[in-house]
Amino acid sequence: MVPLTPYLMTEKDRVNLLNWFLTNQRPLPWRKNRDPYRIWISETMLQQTTTEAVKPYFEKFLQRFPTVYDLAMAPLEDVLENWAGLGYYSRARNLHKASQILAKNGFSKTYLELIELPGFGPYTSRAVSSIAFDENVGVLDGNVIRVLSRKHNKALEWWRPNDRRILQQLADDVVADGPSHQLNQALMELGATTCLPRNPKCILCPWMKTCEARKADTIEQLPLRKKQRDSEIWIWKPTIQVRNGKILLVQNNYAPFLKNEWILPGEVTQKKIAPAGFDFRHSITHHDIFVKLQKADKKSMSRLGQNKDSKKINKSLAQPEQKWVELKQVAKISPFSLMTKALKSIEISE
């Protein structure tokens, strides 16, 4: 990518940002050193999850898998079990896949090489290469988008490729002369602690005097807000069948949430309004799930994984893969909070 010319970030701005960070950075556990493995794990966990929520999971995960080799050698079920509670389990699966490549080949030092690995998107690859190896490439997460949109007073539709490229160039500009491992973290820290979405602490910002949005009185309008996807109401009727201390699970090919994961068999129906009666409610991204638990009988077992109602999805799908899992092993095979709630909400008996 061709850098912006001339640089929009002055050397004084860079120095002020760096000095602010060195004085105000939080003592986060993944900042103890620049080990690329620790940085990679933390950045993956921090996607879709707050810093405070990640801290205990990070410590626990590193205790169980202290090196990339330990992660690569571990069974996937152990990785998923230690990821339980963080959600977005595709992240854990990609960690496991990528660790097997990294354990064999070592960590690449450039984002263009890292981005080829499973789960390494534009942000993660740049974060690891810059923080661990000081590659002069900018990172672009939600905090950085907010800081740069305000700093330069840019009303950009950051979710669109062309506008995102502009913001990426602005981020690259900040770290063009380094040290990128500190400047990138400084940008993220500034957004996380000072340049807040609401009620930003401008008086504490190292860029207060040069912030273009502050001069234009547009801070509250930036960055632009992407319209949220409308929530969908789903009725999930999972079936509990236990035999000889084992419970039946299927590889999900019938529900739009937890796709391809091992869950309880059953059926789903999309509705326009929420039902009056249900056992519990759970949300996964834009899916608002109302759960009605049922014990298996001959009739229900004959239609597991199928749907008769024309409004029910996946009517033509073949029967999903099934397996019987020991009750004490369910958390390893299916560590999802939706499953945990379902099993706790019904008395399981032979």
Side-chain angles (χ1 to χ4, degrees):
M1 181 177 292
V2 178
L4 292 171
T5 54
Y7 287 151
L8 297 179
M9 189 67 57
T10 66
E11 184 61 25
K12 185 176 180 181
D13 276 336
R14 289 193 186 90
V15 170
N16 286 343
L17 176 64
L18 183 58
N19 289 339
W20 173 88
F21 176 67
L22 295 175
T23 302
N24 296 281
Q25 64 177 304
R26 293 168 293 174
L28 302 176
W30 43 87
R31 286 180 176 163
K32 292 179 180 178
N33 56 50
R34 291 168 60 189
D35 176 7
Y37 174 68
R38 292 173 63 89
I39 294 167
W40 170 46
I41 298 298
S42 68
E43 293 297 344
T44 304
M45 286 186 170
L46 287 164
Q47 297 169 23
Q48 309 291 335
T49 315
T50 65
T51 298
E52 289 304 313
V54 162
K55 284 181 182 179
Y57 288 102
F58 178 80
E59 299 284 12
K60 176 186 174 184
F61 199 87
L62 266 292
Q63 287 176 2
R64 173 62 183 84
F65 312 109
T67 70
V68 68
Y69 305 101
D70 296 301
L71 182 58
M73 295 297 292
L76 176 60
E77 289 77 11
D78 285 357
V79 178
L80 292 174
E81 184 179 23
N82 282 271
W83 192 267
L86 283 168
Y88 299 93
Y89 286 85
S90 61
R91 294 183 294 172
R93 295 182 185 279
N94 283 330
L95 277 176
H96 191 244
K97 291 177 184 176
S99 70
Q100 294 172 337
I101 300 172
L102 292 168
K104 180 180 179 180
N105 301 329
F107 267 89
S108 301
K109 296 185 177 182
T110 69
Y111 88 92
L112 287 175
E113 294 173 304
L114 289 170
I115 204 171
E116 297 298 323
L117 297 170
F120 275 81
Y123 168 77
T124 303
S125 58
R126 287 169 175 265
V128 173
S129 71
S130 65
I131 298 173
F133 304 115
D134 231 9
E135 184 181 16
N136 288 345
V137 291
V139 299
L140 202 62
D141 68 354
N143 287 321
V144 176
I145 288 171
R146 183 167 59 258
V147 169
L148 294 178
S149 295
R150 290 172 174 174
K151 175 69 170 70
H152 300 288
N153 195 29
K154 296 286 188 181
L156 297 170
E157 295 182 331
W158 49 266
W159 55 92
R160 299 189 185 279
N162 287 340
D163 282 5
R164 199 173 186 90
R165 276 193 286 270
I166 294 172
L167 285 164
Q168 184 62 68
Q169 287 186 317
L170 292 172
D172 289 343
D173 177 40
V174 174
V175 303
D177 297 319
S180 65
H181 76 279
Q182 292 176 321
L183 286 168
N184 272 330
Q185 291 186 85
L187 276 175
M188 292 187 281
E189 190 80 345
L190 187 62
T193 65
T194 305
C195 192
L196 303 172
R198 295 180 180 83
N199 302 316
K201 304 173 184 178
C202 295
I203 193 68
L204 302 177
C205 179
W207 288 345
M208 182 181 70
K209 294 181 179 180
T210 58
C211 177
E212 295 300 322
R214 187 170 184 271
K215 294 176 184 178
D217 195 25
T218 57
I219 287 176
E220 295 298 332
Q221 287 77 53
L222 296 174
L224 296 182
R225 291 174 177 81
K226 182 181 180 181
K227 183 181 178 181
Q228 296 297 311
R229 185 171 179 177
D230 292 335
S231 181
E232 298 175 358
I233 295 174
W234 290 89
I235 313 300
W236 183 39
K237 295 181 179 179
T239 302
I240 308 287
Q241 186 178 19
V242 177
R243 180 196 304 164
N244 300 325
K246 296 182 177 181
I247 191 167
L248 181 65
L249 300 182
V250 299
Q251 192 166 26
N252 177 26
N253 72 340
Y254 71 91
F257 43 85
L258 299 179
K259 291 181 180 179
N260 300 315
E261 302 289 359
W262 289 97
I263 65 171
L264 294 167
E267 57 188 32
V268 291
T269 309
Q270 186 174 9
K271 297 289 185 180
K272 292 185 177 180
I273 59 174
F278 52 91
D279 291 297
F280 68 90
R281 182 179 180 180
H282 186 81
S283 294
I284 300 179
T285 61
H286 62 284
H287 301 106
D288 193 7
I289 307 164
F290 294 82
V291 182
K292 297 182 178 181
L293 296 159
Q294 54 190 358
K295 284 290 191 73
D297 54 29
K298 291 183 179 180
K299 183 178 179 181
S300 64
M301 286 304 296
S302 68
R303 66 171 189 266
L304 290 182
Q306 297 180 346
N307 300 288
K308 295 181 178 179
D309 193 315
S310 61
K311 293 183 179 180
K312 293 172 184 174
I313 65 170
N314 298 336
K315 180 179 179 182
S316 62
L317 288 178
Q319 285 282 355
E321 293 294 323
Q322 303 179 358
K323 67 179 175 181
W324 292 89
V325 178
E326 292 185 12
L327 288 169
K328 61 183 179 181
Q329 296 295 319
V330 171
K332 285 191 173 184
I333 304 297
S334 185
F336 319 109
S337 54
L338 176 59
M339 281 288 293
T340 302
K341 287 182 181 179
L343 296 181
K344 285 184 177 178
S345 297
I346 190 169
E347 180 181 355
I348 298 177
S349 57
E350 297 293 326

